[in-house]
C-alpha cells in the first residue's frame, strides 16, 4: 500500500500547501542541517558559558524548549504557514495526547518483554534511584524533548518537504535525518536502522492522526518509560533516576548493548509491527479543525 492517500486525506498537509514560501527539497535539507548545526553549537556554548555548572540529562532536555519556539516562529514568519500546518490541531488534544502516552509506554514495554523473554535482559528488581521530584522533573523534560524533536522533524521538516517532494520521500528524509542526529561522532548500524524505522513510524503516526500531539506524547512516553521506569540506556546514556533495574545479557544484537534497547532486534520487531499497523489500519475521516 502506498502513502499517496495519506497526503490527499491530510488536513495538515493541505493547510501547509498555502505557505507563501516553499523552497525546493535540496534547500530544505541544507537549511535544516544548518539550523541543527547552529543549535548544537549554541547548546554547547550555553553549557560552557552561561550554565557551566549544569550537568546531566535534565539540562539537555529542558534546553530544547527554545527549539520548539524557534521552529514555530520560522514556520509562521518565513514560510508563512499556520501552526495548524505543523500539526497543532485544536480539537481532541487531551485524548490524542493520552493515547500517545499509552502507545509510547506500551511499545517500550513490548520491547523490554521481547528482549527479556529471549534472554537479552534480566530484571534485577525495584531500584528507586533518585527522588520522586527528580522523576517528575524527568517526566517534564521528556515532554519538552519529545515535542521539540517532533516539531523539528515532523511538524517542520517533513511537512515542508512534502510540499515540494513525494510524501514517501518527505517521510524517508525526515526519518534518516532524525536518525543521523543521534549519531554525530559515532555510528552503530542496527541502532541507525532502528531510529530510521522510528522516524518512519513517527511520520506515519503524524499523518494518520493528522496532528502532532499524539506522536509528541508517544515520543516522550517511550523515552521516559525506557530511561526512568526501566532504568535502561537511551542512546547510550543512563538516567540518574529510575524505578527499576535491569542487567544486560551477552546477546547485544538483541538488547542493543551499550546503546540501549533502541539498538537491538527487539526494537526492530516492534517498530516494523507499528509501521505495518499504521499503513494497513482502516482509514478514518480526517479532522478539519484548525487554529
Amino acid at each position: 500500500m502506498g502513502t499517496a492517500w495519506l497526503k490527499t486525506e491530510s488536513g495538515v498537509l493541505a493547510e501547509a500547501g498555502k505557505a507563501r514560501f516553499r523552497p525546493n527539497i535540496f534547500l530544505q535539507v541544507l537549511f535544516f542541517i544548518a539550523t541543527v548545526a547552529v543549535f548544537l553549537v549554541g547548546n554547547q556554548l550555553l553549557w560552557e558559558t552561561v550554565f557551566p555548572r549544569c550537568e546531566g540529562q535534565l539540562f539537555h532536555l529542558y534546553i530544547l524548549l527554545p527549539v520548539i519556539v524557534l521552529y514555530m516562529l520560522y514556520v509562521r514568519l518565513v514560510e508563512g504557514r499556520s501552526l495548524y500546518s505543523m500539526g497543532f490541531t485544536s480539537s481532541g488534544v487531551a485524548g490524542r495526547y493520552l493515547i500517545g502516552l499509552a502507545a509510547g509506554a506500551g511499545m517500550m514495554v513490548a520491547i523490554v518483554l521481547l528482549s527479556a523473554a529471549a534472554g537479552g535482559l534480566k530484571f534485577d528488581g525495584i531500584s528507586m534511584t533518585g527522588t520522586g521530584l527528580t522523576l517528575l522533573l524527568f517526566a517534564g523534560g521528556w515532554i519538552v524533548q519529545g515535542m521539540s524533536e517532533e516539531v523539528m522533524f515532523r511538524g517542520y521538516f517533513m511537512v515542508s518537504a512534502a510540499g515540494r517532494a513525494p510524501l514517501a520521500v518527505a517521510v524517508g528524509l525526515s526519518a534518516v535525518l532524525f536518525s543521523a542526529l543521534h549519531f554525530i561522532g559515532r555510528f552503530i548500524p542496527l541502532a541507525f536502522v532502528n531510529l530510521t524505522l522510528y522516524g518512519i513510524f513517527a511520520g506515519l503516526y503524524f499523518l494518520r492522526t493528522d496532528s502532532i500531539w499524539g506522536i509528541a506524547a508517544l515520543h516522550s512516553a517511550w523515552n521516559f518509560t525506557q530511561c526512568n521506569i526501566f532504568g535502561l540506556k537511551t542512546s547510550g546514556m543512563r538516567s540518574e533516576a529510575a524505578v527499576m533495574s535491569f542487567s544486560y545479557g551477552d546477546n547485544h544484537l538483541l538488547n542493543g548493548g551499550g546503546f540501549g534497547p533502541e539498538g537491538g532486534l527487539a526494537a526492530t520487531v516492534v517498530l516494523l509491527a507499528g509501521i505495518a499497523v499504521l499503513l494497513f489500519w482502516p482509514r478514518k475521516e480526517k479532522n478539519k479543525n484548525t487554529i
Side-chain angles (χ1 to χ4, degrees):
M1 180 184 292
T3 57
W5 63 273
L6 287 170
K7 189 167 187 175
T8 59
E9 295 186 4
S10 172
V12 166
L13 293 183
E15 180 71 11
K18 302 174 185 177
R20 65 169 176 264
F21 175 60
R22 295 194 297 167
N24 66 51
I25 190 65
F26 300 105
L27 288 178
Q28 286 281 15
V29 172
L30 290 175
F31 176 78
F32 183 75
I33 292 173
T35 58
V36 170
V38 168
F39 164 72
L40 290 173
V41 172
N43 186 13
Q44 189 67 26
L45 289 174
L46 280 173
W47 191 16
E48 292 178 354
T49 57
V50 182
F51 305 108
R53 296 183 181 179
C54 293
E55 298 181 0
Q57 279 181 310
L58 278 174
F59 171 79
H60 290 287
L61 295 178
Y62 282 99
I63 200 64
L64 293 168
L65 186 58
V67 172
I68 301 172
V69 177
L70 290 173
Y71 277 106
M72 290 170 72
L73 287 174
Y74 170 80
V75 165
R76 291 291 293 128
L77 301 178
V78 178
E79 291 194 358
R81 55 184 175 97
S82 67
L83 296 184
Y84 171 69
S85 73
M86 297 182 76
F88 288 103
T89 51
S90 58
S91 68
V93 173
R96 293 176 189 273
Y97 206 85
L98 289 172
I99 291 171
L101 289 175
M107 290 176 75
M108 183 48 59
V109 168
I111 291 170
V112 169
L113 288 177
L114 276 175
S115 190
L121 289 172
K122 179 185 176 185
F123 179 59
D124 294 327
I126 303 297
S127 63
M128 289 305 295
T129 56
T131 66
L133 176 60
T134 305
L135 284 172
L136 188 61
L137 288 171
F138 267 107
W142 289 121
I143 287 173
V144 171
Q145 184 267 351
M147 180 59 79
S148 70
E149 292 194 359
E150 294 310 321
V151 164
M152 288 171 65
F153 292 98
R154 260 60 69 176
Y156 158 59
F157 181 79
M158 184 185 76
V159 172
S160 293
R164 297 296 299 271
L167 186 57
V169 172
V171 172
L173 269 176
S174 68
V176 170
L177 288 171
F178 170 80
S179 185
L181 181 64
H182 293 76
F183 294 97
I184 295 174
R186 57 179 173 167
F187 183 73
I188 304 171
L190 184 55
F192 185 87
V193 169
N194 282 345
L195 289 180
T196 300
L197 288 175
Y198 173 84
I200 294 170
F201 170 85
L204 293 174
Y205 193 105
F206 178 100
L207 293 166
R208 286 302 305 258
T209 60
D210 217 19
S211 170
I212 201 169
W213 300 110
I215 189 56
L218 187 152
H219 195 145
S220 299
W222 170 297
N223 284 335
F224 179 74
T225 304
Q226 176 178 237
C227 199
N228 301 107
I229 300 299
F230 293 132
L232 299 169
K233 290 183 178 180
T234 302
S235 299
M237 297 179 292
R238 193 184 295 276
S239 175
E240 347 156 345
V243 176
M244 302 179 191
S245 175
F246 283 81
S247 55
Y248 289 81
D250 294 331
N251 190 348
H252 292 174
L253 185 63
L254 183 67
N255 60 34
F259 189 82
E262 292 167 329
L265 286 175
T268 310
V269 171
V270 170
L271 286 167
L272 286 174
I275 290 170
V277 168
L278 291 172
L279 284 175
F280 297 104
W281 195 265
R283 305 182 192 183
K284 288 185 182 179
E285 210 170 305
K286 66 182 179 183
N287 172 32
K288 297 181 181 179
N289 293 319
T290 65
I291 57 173

